[in-house]
Amino acid sequence: MESVHIGSREWEAKAQAVLPPSLIPDLAYTPEVARETAHLYERVARVIPAVEWPQFAPYVKAINDLKPVRNAVVLAHNYMTPEIYNCVADVVGDSLQLAREAAKADADVIVQCGVHFMAETSKLLNPDKRVLIPDMRAGCSLAESITGEDVRALREAYPGVPVVTYVNTSADVKAESNICCTSSNAVRVVESLGAKRVIMIPDEFLAKWVQTQTDVEIITWKGHCEVHERFTAEELHAYRESDPGVKIIAHPECPPDVIDASDFTGSTSGMIKWVEDNQPSKVLLVTECSMSDNVAVEAPNTKFVRPCNLCPHMKRITLPKILDSLIFMKEEVTVDPAVVEPARAAVERMINLNH
């Protein structure tokens, strides 16, 4: 299907093989489409120029029309582009929020708008549901930085030391772990184990930040997020010099000197809450670029400075690919049966800890 252009006759013929003709969208921006999506555009008008909306609206309508037909729910991470996050997603949030909602999903089909490890986590928590990711190539530099074999070697090097694994990992790695964490609950997870020291993998910078928040000794791994590791303290100092009133809030996947140069450090959900609670006149979010657009929708009185580091993996997820995914039920995510149970147990321990 990758070589078939959406909207072409070949695409329509393939679509008609799996859906009634009445449900095949023509993807034209008609007055009817404009009317039916007007309330959604009103929501994103601050971040999507009017000239771009006619390109998005037909896909938005088609996806929303197909969701009940497929009994599908769309989960979207905070790094999704605003037309996805605000206009077709049923559930939005950070990794922890999406993991919780995946566990409660009342649908036959879950479409994961994020990266592959998120879809794997949804499948672990919903073994009887069909989990789709619109582009199977949507990976993660953190997930690729460590393997299950690496974790087994760490356990041999540090016998008896529990392993806390960031959800940004493969199911194979989760299966070798005691418990998972996200950036929003990492400190609580580490301290919940009652151990004097823990192995925390794979994000080195997140682990170093957690070390500043707890007396538990943290053994780290040198995995990094390719988006957050590119930020520097020098560029943040430059922003402050040019605009002393700007507030800077950073994700804990950033290098330590970036965190030190920031006014607040927290997960994506924590950053959103900080903006909502503090209502700064101007703020710089030191994280993936699209998140600023999504937070701006909910914070009309705040001006967002955008140091635009994009995640190339997140940006593989687009409206056309989501539509393709719903029509053709692709790409389906599966998990190796050999790791399903221990990996699910590590994720569920994390979720149950927050109840």
Side-chain angles (χ1 to χ4, degrees):
M1 275 299 301
E2 288 296 332
S3 61
V4 179
H5 178 66
I6 290 181
S8 68
R9 289 183 179 179
E10 185 180 356
W11 179 83
E12 290 176 358
K14 288 180 180 291
Q16 287 172 7
V18 294
L19 285 175
S22 61
L23 291 176
I24 307 302
D26 65 13
L27 302 176
Y29 186 62
T30 64
E32 177 189 5
V33 170
R35 284 194 302 274
E36 292 193 21
T37 61
H39 67 293
L40 294 171
Y41 182 64
E42 183 178 352
R43 177 170 173 76
V44 296
R46 291 183 65 226
V47 294
I48 297 179
V51 69
E52 294 181 10
W53 185 244
Q55 303 170 47
F56 296 138
Y59 289 99
V60 168
K61 181 179 184 304
I63 291 165
N64 287 332
D65 286 349
L66 269 178
K67 285 191 295 184
V69 174
R70 294 300 197 191
N71 191 21
V73 61
V74 174
L75 308 185
H77 190 266
N78 291 326
Y79 294 162
M80 286 293 101
T81 50
E83 70 277 6
I84 295 172
Y85 184 92
N86 294 283
C87 300
V88 301
D90 299 292
V91 177
V92 297
D94 64 9
S95 297
L96 177 59
Q97 291 165 323
L98 295 184
R100 285 173 172 168
E101 293 304 321
K104 299 186 294 184
D106 183 20
D108 296 323
V109 178
I110 296 172
V111 181
Q112 191 83 41
C113 295
V115 291
H116 191 268
F117 76 79
M118 297 177 183
E120 268 195 339
T121 303
S122 289
K123 184 63 178 178
L124 288 172
L125 297 171
N126 295 273
D128 298 326
K129 291 183 170 63
R130 201 166 188 178
V131 177
L132 309 175
I133 188 167
D135 192 323
M136 194 66 79
R137 298 170 299 169
C140 172
S141 60
L142 273 176
E144 293 166 3
S145 73
I146 193 166
T147 65
E149 184 177 355
D150 292 326
V151 185
R152 290 189 288 275
L154 281 168
R155 283 192 175 280
E156 289 181 9
Y158 300 96
V161 179
V163 177
V164 176
T165 294
Y166 201 19
V167 290
N168 301 40
T169 49
S170 67
D172 182 43
V173 170
K174 291 180 174 71
E176 300 293 336
S177 310
N178 294 82
I179 190 170
C180 288
C181 75
T182 69
S183 54
S184 62
N185 67 8
V187 176
R188 183 179 179 190
V189 168
V190 164
E191 295 185 339
S192 75
L193 296 172
K196 291 184 177 180
R197 64 175 180 167
V198 304
I199 299 167
M200 188 170 183
I201 55 176
D203 191 289
E204 179 185 22
F205 297 148
L206 174 63
K208 286 185 174 181
W209 177 77
V210 170
Q211 184 66 89
T212 68
Q213 309 296 307
T214 181
D215 292 330
V216 178
E217 180 188 348
I218 308 292
I219 299 166
T220 67
W221 179 263
K222 285 192 176 296
H224 299 144
C225 167
E226 64 186 279
V227 172
H228 293 100
E229 71 176 345
R230 296 202 304 267
F231 291 107
T232 67
E234 288 75 18
E235 67 180 304
L236 300 194
H237 293 320
Y239 278 112
R240 285 200 193 278
E241 288 178 8
S242 64
D243 190 348
V246 69
K247 295 297 183 182
I248 299 177
I249 58 178
H251 194 279
E253 290 176 18
C254 293
D257 61 344
V258 170
I259 290 175
D260 290 343
S262 303
D263 297 299
F264 171 80
T265 300
S267 66
T268 55
S269 61
M271 296 167 84
I272 292 169
K273 186 177 187 303
W274 191 93
V275 173
E276 291 174 347
D277 291 347
N278 291 275
Q279 295 289 312
S281 58
K282 188 178 293 185
V283 67
L284 187 155
L285 302 188
V286 189
T287 189
E288 212 275 349
C289 188
S290 290
M291 188 170 142
S292 292
D293 288 335
N294 295 328
V295 182
V297 169
E298 302 291 350
N301 298 320
T302 296
K303 180 178 179 181
F304 288 80
V305 181
R306 292 169 168 82
C308 212
N309 284 0
L310 293 171
C311 174
H313 309 292
M314 290 283 187
K315 294 304 173 277
R316 289 188 181 278
I317 309 301
T318 64
L319 288 175
K321 289 178 182 177
I322 297 169
L323 178 59
D324 238 21
S325 190
L326 280 169
I327 289 176
F328 300 104
M329 292 288 98
K330 62 169 210 175
E331 307 277 348
E332 185 166 3
V333 174
T334 59
V335 180
D336 182 352
V339 304
V340 165
E341 291 304 323
R344 180 187 299 134
V347 176
E348 288 180 340
R349 288 186 197 109
M350 172 188 71
I351 292 175
N352 292 337
L353 183 66
N354 286 273
H355 283 177

